[in-house]
Amino acid sequence: MSENKYVFAMNDLPYEYNALEPYIDTDTMKYHHDKHLNTYITNLNKALEPYPQIQAMDLEQILKQPLALPNVGSVAIMRNAGGVYNHNFFFNILRAGREENAAVGNLSFRIEKQFGNFEKFKNLFTEEALKVFGSGYLWLAMDSKCILSIVPTTNQETPLSMGFQPIITIDLWEHAYYLKNQNRRNEYIDAWWHVVNWDIANRNYAACM
Ligand code: MN
């Protein structure tokens, strides 16, 4: 049983449920991880049952190319594989909050080079996050030449399917913030900036060199 291969299983959060307080509350983290992620894992295992050839692939392989399956099978697998991948990625890119929080290392230099400075990047990313319509995510991702892009995805689509490697993400489904912030997505986005784990983000970026 693993996070990355059939039979897929739950992993504990890499921190306590209350670790992101006061920015993201304990109840939200409990429901989000224990209920929402668990449902995607259960449904992914179910969707993969009839397809031993896909069971042999890891999560990223499944998401990187279109599956040669009868359409109904592919849709269920891709949706739930995306739900598992996106949630694990999101939870792993967070840490206990700090008042001042900004990119570090080579990623920081790259952000300055492409966006001018961190504040400009932050403002642009925030604007794009406010624009995501319905359920989805916003990503900082890179292409094979290490060029950064701000990438929106809908529902449980992933940047992997679009040829990007993710660096950070914000889950913009209402379940990610409704318990605490209700309709105030702007408040949630402001809080999220405090809990981004820029050390892991920098490691994700380093994978491109
Ligand atoms: Mn979610």
Side-chain angles (χ1 to χ4, degrees):
M1 307 273 276
S2 81
E3 183 185 313
N4 203 38
K5 223 167 170 187
Y6 187 84
V7 179
F8 290 92
M10 289 283 278
N11 259 21
D12 290 340
L13 284 173
Y15 39 75
E16 300 297 323
Y17 292 107
N18 65 0
L20 310 183
E21 296 269 9
Y23 300 107
I24 300 181
D25 60 296
T26 307
D27 279 351
T28 296
M29 292 308 291
K30 278 187 180 158
Y31 278 99
H32 202 175
H33 180 268
D34 294 2
K35 306 292 182 194
H36 288 274
L37 172 56
N38 193 43
T39 302
Y40 285 109
I41 289 176
T42 305
N43 290 340
L44 177 58
N45 287 331
K46 210 183 291 171
L48 285 170
E49 251 169 41
Y51 304 110
Q53 74 278 24
I54 316 281
Q55 291 169 12
M57 296 161 72
D58 70 30
L59 197 51
E60 301 196 3
Q61 287 173 318
I62 292 173
L63 289 164
K64 272 182 182 167
Q65 73 269 302
L67 297 174
L69 291 178
N71 194 41
V72 60
S74 298
V75 169
I77 291 171
M78 291 303 277
R79 274 184 190 161
N80 290 296
V84 173
Y85 179 86
N86 291 344
H87 279 108
N88 282 330
F89 194 93
F90 173 71
F91 292 134
N92 284 328
I93 201 68
L94 303 179
R95 67 176 169 200
R98 30 193 92 180
E99 210 165 314
E100 300 293 324
N101 197 22
V104 297
N106 287 331
L107 176 59
S108 165
F109 295 131
R110 184 75 213 188
I111 285 173
E112 281 168 24
K113 189 176 168 192
Q114 278 192 237
F115 298 93
N117 59 47
F118 184 76
E119 276 310 301
K120 284 185 184 168
F121 160 72
K122 188 174 167 181
N123 291 338
L124 186 61
F125 193 96
T126 298
E127 273 173 41
E128 293 301 315
L130 286 166
K131 274 192 234 162
V132 169
F133 185 75
S135 295
Y137 294 75
L138 190 69
W139 307 77
L140 177 66
M142 63 190 173
D143 66 14
S144 58
K145 294 182 176 135
C146 316
I147 295 170
L148 304 178
S149 293
I150 296 173
V151 180
T153 57
T154 309
N155 297 320
Q156 295 298 357
E157 285 167 8
T158 76
L160 296 177
S161 316
M162 302 155 69
F164 289 105
Q165 276 296 328
I167 297 170
I168 59 171
T169 192
I170 181 168
D171 185 340
L172 293 165
W173 287 57
E174 282 187 343
H175 67 233
Y177 60 90
Y178 205 86
L179 283 179
K180 179 177 167 72
N181 308 107
Q182 291 80 46
N183 62 320
R184 300 179 301 277
R185 184 188 277 189
N186 61 322
E187 208 176 85
Y188 163 65
I189 297 167
D190 287 345
W192 171 84
W193 284 109
H194 292 277
V195 294
V196 175
N197 188 332
W198 287 106
D199 293 319
I200 293 184
N202 191 45
R203 244 179 282 155
N204 291 339
Y205 176 66
C208 115
M209 309 291 180

